[in-house]
Amino acid sequence: MTKEDCVTIYVTAESEDVAVHISTALVREKLIACANVQTGIRSIYEWDGVIQLDNEVAVTMKTVASHVDAVISKVKEMHSYGVPCITVSPIVDGNPEYLEWVARQTKA
């Protein structure tokens, strides 16, 4: 297991309930090791030609790169948005013991 094998997945959701529901399912299925749900996010974007200002929550999920496709698929399946924000970033460095824990938690 190398640090390059771990990634964070960033997702926004319309409510804390939706974010917790999705995150719990992914942890239960061992697709992610953990998720941090942050409330109080204000999103500003254009959709269908109209500027939108919405309250959202942000979720930061930690997992291994080999689970990314499955996580994206499951989030899209469970999400309330037609086009949910899902982005993936590599973890370039970090606490080795934590990264090893992420790998252990995501083994099926």
Side-chain angles (χ1 to χ4, degrees):
M1 174 72 197
T2 66
K3 59 189 170 193
E4 290 81 17
D5 294 327
C6 291
V7 299
T8 60
I9 300 177
Y10 176 83
V11 176
T12 57
E14 71 178 55
S15 70
E16 186 174 359
D17 288 344
V18 170
V20 169
H21 178 67
I22 292 170
S23 299
T24 301
L26 293 171
V27 169
R28 189 172 286 125
E29 293 181 29
K30 297 199 177 294
L31 291 175
I32 64 172
C34 65
N36 306 111
V37 177
Q38 297 175 299
T39 59
I41 303 297
R42 188 80 163 148
S43 294
I44 303 161
Y45 57 96
E46 183 178 327
W47 191 260
D48 291 332
V50 178
I51 300 295
Q52 306 290 323
L53 288 87
D54 291 327
N55 292 315
E56 292 187 299
V57 299
V59 185
T60 304
M61 303 172 180
K62 276 73 77 179
T63 190
V64 291
S66 60
H67 287 353
V68 167
D69 289 343
V71 170
I72 291 171
S73 179
K74 188 71 173 182
V75 169
K76 288 170 72 174
E77 173 189 316
M78 296 181 72
H79 209 287
S80 58
Y81 295 166
V83 182
C85 168
I86 308 168
T87 61
V88 180
S89 301
I91 295 175
V92 297
D93 208 350
N95 177 354
E97 293 86 5
Y98 178 78
L99 299 177
E100 289 168 11
W101 175 82
V102 169
R104 281 193 313 274
Q105 290 302 111
T106 55
K107 284 190 179 173

